[in-house]
PDB file of all heavy atoms in Angstrom:
ATOM      1  N   ASP K 376     -16.985  45.433 -35.577  1.00  0.00           N
ATOM      2  CA  ASP K 376     -15.609  44.948 -35.753  1.00  0.00           C
ATOM      3  C   ASP K 376     -15.544  43.718 -36.655  1.00  0.00           C
ATOM      4  O   ASP K 376     -14.525  43.045 -36.728  1.00  0.00           O
ATOM      5  CB  ASP K 376     -14.967  44.659 -34.393  1.00  0.00           C
ATOM      6  CG  ASP K 376     -15.695  43.561 -33.628  1.00  0.00           C
ATOM      7  OD1 ASP K 376     -16.628  42.943 -34.189  1.00  0.00           O
ATOM      8  OD2 ASP K 376     -15.335  43.328 -32.452  1.00  0.00           O
ATOM      9  N   ARG K 377     -16.677  43.392 -37.336  1.00  0.00           N
ATOM     10  CA  ARG K 377     -16.825  42.307 -38.298  1.00  0.00           C
ATOM     11  C   ARG K 377     -16.857  40.919 -37.629  1.00  0.00           C
ATOM     12  O   ARG K 377     -16.885  39.895 -38.314  1.00  0.00           O
ATOM     13  CB  ARG K 377     -15.723  42.285 -39.374  1.00  0.00           C
ATOM     14  CG  ARG K 377     -15.398  43.629 -40.007  1.00  0.00           C
ATOM     15  CD  ARG K 377     -16.629  44.411 -40.401  1.00  0.00           C
ATOM     16  NE  ARG K 377     -17.367  43.758 -41.500  1.00  0.00           N
ATOM     17  CZ  ARG K 377     -18.585  44.116 -41.908  1.00  0.00           C
ATOM     18  NH1 ARG K 377     -19.229  45.087 -41.269  1.00  0.00           N
ATOM     19  NH2 ARG K 377     -19.168  43.478 -42.907  1.00  0.00           N
ATOM     20  N   SER K 378     -16.887  40.888 -36.322  1.00  0.00           N
ATOM     21  CA  SER K 378     -17.061  39.592 -35.643  1.00  0.00           C
ATOM     22  C   SER K 378     -18.551  39.260 -35.583  1.00  0.00           C
ATOM     23  O   SER K 378     -19.406  40.160 -35.687  1.00  0.00           O
ATOM     24  CB  SER K 378     -16.477  39.647 -34.227  1.00  0.00           C
ATOM     25  OG  SER K 378     -17.171  40.589 -33.418  1.00  0.00           O
ATOM     26  N   THR K 379     -18.855  37.995 -35.460  1.00  0.00           N
ATOM     27  CA  THR K 379     -20.256  37.579 -35.419  1.00  0.00           C
ATOM     28  C   THR K 379     -20.593  37.015 -34.034  1.00  0.00           C
ATOM     29  O   THR K 379     -19.708  36.614 -33.276  1.00  0.00           O
ATOM     30  CB  THR K 379     -20.544  36.496 -36.472  1.00  0.00           C
ATOM     31  OG1 THR K 379     -19.718  35.351 -36.211  1.00  0.00           O
ATOM     32  CG2 THR K 379     -20.266  37.018 -37.873  1.00  0.00           C
ATOM     33  N   PHE K 380     -21.873  37.001 -33.736  1.00  0.00           N
ATOM     34  CA  PHE K 380     -22.326  36.434 -32.459  1.00  0.00           C
ATOM     35  C   PHE K 380     -23.723  35.857 -32.676  1.00  0.00           C
ATOM     36  O   PHE K 380     -24.502  36.333 -33.512  1.00  0.00           O
ATOM     37  CB  PHE K 380     -22.333  37.499 -31.355  1.00  0.00           C
ATOM     38  CG  PHE K 380     -23.356  38.583 -31.562  1.00  0.00           C
ATOM     39  CD1 PHE K 380     -24.593  38.536 -30.926  1.00  0.00           C
ATOM     40  CD2 PHE K 380     -23.096  39.663 -32.400  1.00  0.00           C
ATOM     41  CE1 PHE K 380     -25.532  39.539 -31.117  1.00  0.00           C
ATOM     42  CE2 PHE K 380     -24.033  40.663 -32.598  1.00  0.00           C
ATOM     43  CZ  PHE K 380     -25.264  40.611 -31.957  1.00  0.00           C
ATOM     44  N   PRO K 381     -24.058  34.808 -31.928  1.00  0.00           N
ATOM     45  CA  PRO K 381     -25.376  34.182 -32.079  1.00  0.00           C
ATOM     46  C   PRO K 381     -26.411  34.881 -31.190  1.00  0.00           C
ATOM     47  O   PRO K 381     -26.105  35.330 -30.091  1.00  0.00           O
ATOM     48  CB  PRO K 381     -25.126  32.751 -31.601  1.00  0.00           C
ATOM     49  CG  PRO K 381     -24.048  32.891 -30.575  1.00  0.00           C
ATOM     50  CD  PRO K 381     -23.188  34.051 -31.013  1.00  0.00           C
ATOM     51  N   PHE K 382     -27.636  34.970 -31.692  1.00  0.00           N
ATOM     52  CA  PHE K 382     -28.709  35.485 -30.841  1.00  0.00           C
ATOM     53  C   PHE K 382     -30.040  34.880 -31.281  1.00  0.00           C
ATOM     54  O   PHE K 382     -30.193  34.377 -32.393  1.00  0.00           O
ATOM     55  CB  PHE K 382     -28.751  37.018 -30.865  1.00  0.00           C
ATOM     56  CG  PHE K 382     -29.086  37.624 -32.193  1.00  0.00           C
ATOM     57  CD1 PHE K 382     -30.408  37.864 -32.572  1.00  0.00           C
ATOM     58  CD2 PHE K 382     -28.071  37.976 -33.079  1.00  0.00           C
ATOM     59  CE1 PHE K 382     -30.711  38.448 -33.799  1.00  0.00           C
ATOM     60  CE2 PHE K 382     -28.377  38.543 -34.297  1.00  0.00           C
ATOM     61  CZ  PHE K 382     -29.696  38.789 -34.671  1.00  0.00           C
ATOM     62  N   ARG K 383     -30.981  34.906 -30.347  1.00  0.00           N
ATOM     63  CA  ARG K 383     -32.336  34.441 -30.653  1.00  0.00           C
ATOM     64  C   ARG K 383     -33.179  35.662 -31.022  1.00  0.00           C
ATOM     65  O   ARG K 383     -33.230  36.636 -30.282  1.00  0.00           O
ATOM     66  CB  ARG K 383     -32.950  33.708 -29.458  1.00  0.00           C
ATOM     67  CG  ARG K 383     -34.334  33.121 -29.767  1.00  0.00           C
ATOM     68  CD  ARG K 383     -34.908  32.357 -28.597  1.00  0.00           C
ATOM     69  NE  ARG K 383     -34.126  31.158 -28.292  1.00  0.00           N
ATOM     70  CZ  ARG K 383     -33.362  31.018 -27.241  1.00  0.00           C
ATOM     71  NH1 ARG K 383     -33.257  32.025 -26.375  1.00  0.00           N
ATOM     72  NH2 ARG K 383     -32.672  29.915 -27.048  1.00  0.00           N
ATOM     73  N   LEU K 384     -33.838  35.584 -32.164  1.00  0.00           N
ATOM     74  CA  LEU K 384     -34.602  36.720 -32.693  1.00  0.00           C
ATOM     75  C   LEU K 384     -36.086  36.377 -32.740  1.00  0.00           C
ATOM     76  O   LEU K 384     -36.490  35.354 -33.305  1.00  0.00           O
ATOM     77  CB  LEU K 384     -34.109  37.074 -34.104  1.00  0.00           C
ATOM     78  CG  LEU K 384     -34.905  38.156 -34.836  1.00  0.00           C
ATOM     79  CD1 LEU K 384     -34.764  39.513 -34.138  1.00  0.00           C
ATOM     80  CD2 LEU K 384     -34.448  38.267 -36.297  1.00  0.00           C
ATOM     81  N   ALA K 385     -36.884  37.238 -32.117  1.00  0.00           N
ATOM     82  CA  ALA K 385     -38.346  37.137 -32.212  1.00  0.00           C
ATOM     83  C   ALA K 385     -38.844  38.439 -32.824  1.00  0.00           C
ATOM     84  O   ALA K 385     -38.531  39.529 -32.334  1.00  0.00           O
ATOM     85  CB  ALA K 385     -38.958  36.913 -30.839  1.00  0.00           C
ATOM     86  N   VAL K 386     -39.577  38.354 -33.953  1.00  0.00           N
ATOM     87  CA  VAL K 386     -40.020  39.545 -34.700  1.00  0.00           C
ATOM     88  C   VAL K 386     -41.544  39.636 -34.687  1.00  0.00           C
ATOM     89  O   VAL K 386     -42.233  38.644 -34.960  1.00  0.00           O
ATOM     90  CB  VAL K 386     -39.506  39.512 -36.149  1.00  0.00           C
ATOM     91  CG1 VAL K 386     -39.940  40.773 -36.891  1.00  0.00           C
ATOM     92  CG2 VAL K 386     -37.982  39.392 -36.169  1.00  0.00           C
ATOM     93  N   SER K 387     -42.017  40.827 -34.346  1.00  0.00           N
ATOM     94  CA  SER K 387     -43.467  41.067 -34.337  1.00  0.00           C
ATOM     95  C   SER K 387     -43.825  42.185 -35.313  1.00  0.00           C
ATOM     96  O   SER K 387     -43.065  43.149 -35.479  1.00  0.00           O
ATOM     97  CB  SER K 387     -43.931  41.461 -32.930  1.00  0.00           C
ATOM     98  OG  SER K 387     -43.706  40.435 -32.018  1.00  0.00           O
ATOM     99  N   GLU K 388     -44.965  42.027 -35.941  1.00  0.00           N
ATOM    100  CA  GLU K 388     -45.486  43.086 -36.827  1.00  0.00           C
ATOM    101  C   GLU K 388     -46.362  44.016 -35.992  1.00  0.00           C
ATOM    102  O   GLU K 388     -47.236  43.580 -35.253  1.00  0.00           O
ATOM    103  CB  GLU K 388     -46.313  42.449 -37.940  1.00  0.00           C
ATOM    104  CG  GLU K 388     -46.902  43.475 -38.910  1.00  0.00           C
ATOM    105  CD  GLU K 388     -47.829  42.818 -39.909  1.00  0.00           C
ATOM    106  OE1 GLU K 388     -47.407  41.842 -40.555  1.00  0.00           O
ATOM    107  OE2 GLU K 388     -48.987  43.265 -40.008  1.00  0.00           O
ATOM    108  N   VAL K 389     -46.090  45.339 -36.119  1.00  0.00           N
ATOM    109  CA  VAL K 389     -46.820  46.323 -35.309  1.00  0.00           C
ATOM    110  C   VAL K 389     -47.497  47.342 -36.259  1.00  0.00           C
ATOM    111  O   VAL K 389     -46.835  47.902 -37.137  1.00  0.00           O
ATOM    112  CB  VAL K 389     -45.860  47.053 -34.340  1.00  0.00           C
ATOM    113  CG1 VAL K 389     -46.633  48.084 -33.521  1.00  0.00           C
ATOM    114  CG2 VAL K 389     -45.157  46.057 -33.423  1.00  0.00           C
ATOM    115  N   GLN K 390     -48.805  47.550 -36.033  1.00  0.00           N
ATOM    116  CA  GLN K 390     -49.552  48.581 -36.789  1.00  0.00           C
ATOM    117  C   GLN K 390     -49.367  49.883 -36.042  1.00  0.00           C
ATOM    118  O   GLN K 390     -49.826  50.057 -34.923  1.00  0.00           O
ATOM    119  CB  GLN K 390     -51.036  48.194 -36.873  1.00  0.00           C
ATOM    120  CG  GLN K 390     -51.853  49.140 -37.743  1.00  0.00           C
ATOM    121  CD  GLN K 390     -51.547  48.959 -39.238  1.00  0.00           C
ATOM    122  OE1 GLN K 390     -51.355  47.819 -39.683  1.00  0.00           O
ATOM    123  NE2 GLN K 390     -51.497  50.056 -39.966  1.00  0.00           N
ATOM    124  N   TYR K 391     -48.654  50.794 -36.658  1.00  0.00           N
ATOM    125  CA  TYR K 391     -48.362  52.054 -35.992  1.00  0.00           C
ATOM    126  C   TYR K 391     -48.860  53.210 -36.869  1.00  0.00           C
ATOM    127  O   TYR K 391     -48.342  53.412 -37.972  1.00  0.00           O
ATOM    128  CB  TYR K 391     -46.859  52.175 -35.748  1.00  0.00           C
ATOM    129  CG  TYR K 391     -46.443  53.448 -35.044  1.00  0.00           C
ATOM    130  CD1 TYR K 391     -46.813  53.681 -33.709  1.00  0.00           C
ATOM    131  CD2 TYR K 391     -45.693  54.416 -35.714  1.00  0.00           C
ATOM    132  CE1 TYR K 391     -46.419  54.848 -33.083  1.00  0.00           C
ATOM    133  CE2 TYR K 391     -45.285  55.580 -35.072  1.00  0.00           C
ATOM    134  CZ  TYR K 391     -45.669  55.791 -33.755  1.00  0.00           C
ATOM    135  OH  TYR K 391     -45.285  56.946 -33.117  1.00  0.00           O
ATOM    136  N   GLU K 392     -49.901  53.930 -36.356  1.00  0.00           N
ATOM    137  CA  GLU K 392     -50.569  55.002 -37.101  1.00  0.00           C
ATOM    138  C   GLU K 392     -51.047  54.451 -38.448  1.00  0.00           C
ATOM    139  O   GLU K 392     -51.832  53.518 -38.498  1.00  0.00           O
ATOM    140  CB  GLU K 392     -49.620  56.202 -37.258  1.00  0.00           C
ATOM    141  CG  GLU K 392     -49.306  56.866 -35.896  1.00  0.00           C
ATOM    142  CD  GLU K 392     -48.363  58.037 -36.032  1.00  0.00           C
ATOM    143  OE1 GLU K 392     -47.774  58.233 -37.127  1.00  0.00           O
ATOM    144  OE2 GLU K 392     -48.197  58.758 -35.027  1.00  0.00           O
ATOM    145  N   ASP K 393     -50.557  54.956 -39.571  1.00  0.00           N
ATOM    146  CA  ASP K 393     -51.052  54.508 -40.870  1.00  0.00           C
ATOM    147  C   ASP K 393     -50.048  53.613 -41.601  1.00  0.00           C
ATOM    148  O   ASP K 393     -50.134  53.427 -42.816  1.00  0.00           O
ATOM    149  CB  ASP K 393     -51.385  55.725 -41.758  1.00  0.00           C
ATOM    150  CG  ASP K 393     -50.169  56.629 -41.971  1.00  0.00           C
ATOM    151  OD1 ASP K 393     -49.160  56.436 -41.203  1.00  0.00           O
ATOM    152  OD2 ASP K 393     -50.192  57.480 -42.849  1.00  0.00           O
ATOM    153  N   ARG K 394     -49.122  53.024 -40.865  1.00  0.00           N
ATOM    154  CA  ARG K 394     -48.126  52.175 -41.506  1.00  0.00           C
ATOM    155  C   ARG K 394     -47.771  50.974 -40.611  1.00  0.00           C
ATOM    156  O   ARG K 394     -48.135  50.924 -39.456  1.00  0.00           O
ATOM    157  CB  ARG K 394     -46.861  52.968 -41.842  1.00  0.00           C
ATOM    158  CG  ARG K 394     -46.116  53.500 -40.632  1.00  0.00           C
ATOM    159  CD  ARG K 394     -45.061  54.526 -41.051  1.00  0.00           C
ATOM    160  NE  ARG K 394     -44.267  54.980 -39.923  1.00  0.00           N
ATOM    161  CZ  ARG K 394     -43.116  54.448 -39.550  1.00  0.00           C
ATOM    162  NH1 ARG K 394     -42.616  53.434 -40.237  1.00  0.00           N
ATOM    163  NH2 ARG K 394     -42.455  54.917 -38.514  1.00  0.00           N
ATOM    164  N   ILE K 395     -47.031  50.039 -41.217  1.00  0.00           N
ATOM    165  CA  ILE K 395     -46.616  48.817 -40.497  1.00  0.00           C
ATOM    166  C   ILE K 395     -45.112  48.876 -40.259  1.00  0.00           C
ATOM    167  O   ILE K 395     -44.337  49.174 -41.172  1.00  0.00           O
ATOM    168  CB  ILE K 395     -46.970  47.560 -41.320  1.00  0.00           C
ATOM    169  CG1 ILE K 395     -48.482  47.428 -41.442  1.00  0.00           C
ATOM    170  CG2 ILE K 395     -46.370  46.318 -40.666  1.00  0.00           C
ATOM    171  CD1 ILE K 395     -48.907  46.296 -42.357  1.00  0.00           C
ATOM    172  N   ILE K 396     -44.728  48.595 -39.017  1.00  0.00           N
ATOM    173  CA  ILE K 396     -43.297  48.458 -38.688  1.00  0.00           C
ATOM    174  C   ILE K 396     -43.093  47.076 -38.071  1.00  0.00           C
ATOM    175  O   ILE K 396     -44.039  46.426 -37.619  1.00  0.00           O
ATOM    176  CB  ILE K 396     -42.804  49.556 -37.720  1.00  0.00           C
ATOM    177  CG1 ILE K 396     -43.550  49.456 -36.366  1.00  0.00           C
ATOM    178  CG2 ILE K 396     -42.943  50.933 -38.341  1.00  0.00           C
ATOM    179  CD1 ILE K 396     -42.990  50.391 -35.322  1.00  0.00           C
ATOM    180  N   TYR K 397     -41.841  46.673 -38.094  1.00  0.00           N
ATOM    181  CA  TYR K 397     -41.477  45.356 -37.524  1.00  0.00           C
ATOM    182  C   TYR K 397     -40.516  45.574 -36.357  1.00  0.00           C
ATOM    183  O   TYR K 397     -39.544  46.327 -36.487  1.00  0.00           O
ATOM    184  CB  TYR K 397     -40.828  44.475 -38.590  1.00  0.00           C
ATOM    185  CG  TYR K 397     -41.716  44.252 -39.780  1.00  0.00           C
ATOM    186  CD1 TYR K 397     -41.547  45.009 -40.946  1.00  0.00           C
ATOM    187  CD2 TYR K 397     -42.722  43.295 -39.728  1.00  0.00           C
ATOM    188  CE1 TYR K 397     -42.360  44.807 -42.032  1.00  0.00           C
ATOM    189  CE2 TYR K 397     -43.550  43.087 -40.832  1.00  0.00           C
ATOM    190  CZ  TYR K 397     -43.368  43.847 -41.977  1.00  0.00           C
ATOM    191  OH  TYR K 397     -44.198  43.659 -43.056  1.00  0.00           O
ATOM    192  N   THR K 398     -40.851  44.930 -35.247  1.00  0.00           N
ATOM    193  CA  THR K 398     -40.025  45.051 -34.037  1.00  0.00           C
ATOM    194  C   THR K 398     -39.325  43.713 -33.768  1.00  0.00           C
ATOM    195  O   THR K 398     -39.974  42.669 -33.709  1.00  0.00           O
ATOM    196  CB  THR K 398     -40.876  45.408 -32.809  1.00  0.00           C
ATOM    197  OG1 THR K 398     -41.585  46.617 -33.082  1.00  0.00           O
ATOM    198  CG2 THR K 398     -39.988  45.583 -31.565  1.00  0.00           C
ATOM    199  N   GLY K 399     -38.003  43.795 -33.646  1.00  0.00           N
ATOM    200  CA  GLY K 399     -37.218  42.578 -33.360  1.00  0.00           C
ATOM    201  C   GLY K 399     -36.671  42.593 -31.940  1.00  0.00           C
ATOM    202  O   GLY K 399     -36.136  43.605 -31.497  1.00  0.00           O
TER     203      GLY K 399
END
Side-chain angles (χ1 to χ4, degrees):
D376 62 6
R377 314 314 293 169
S378 64
T379 60
F380 67 97
F382 65 89
R383 184 178 294 109
L384 174 66
V386 182
S387 297
E388 180 186 308
V389 179
Q390 185 72 38
Y391 181 67
E392 294 179 349
D393 59 346
R394 64 193 184 93
I395 294 174
I396 63 173
Y397 302 99
T398 303

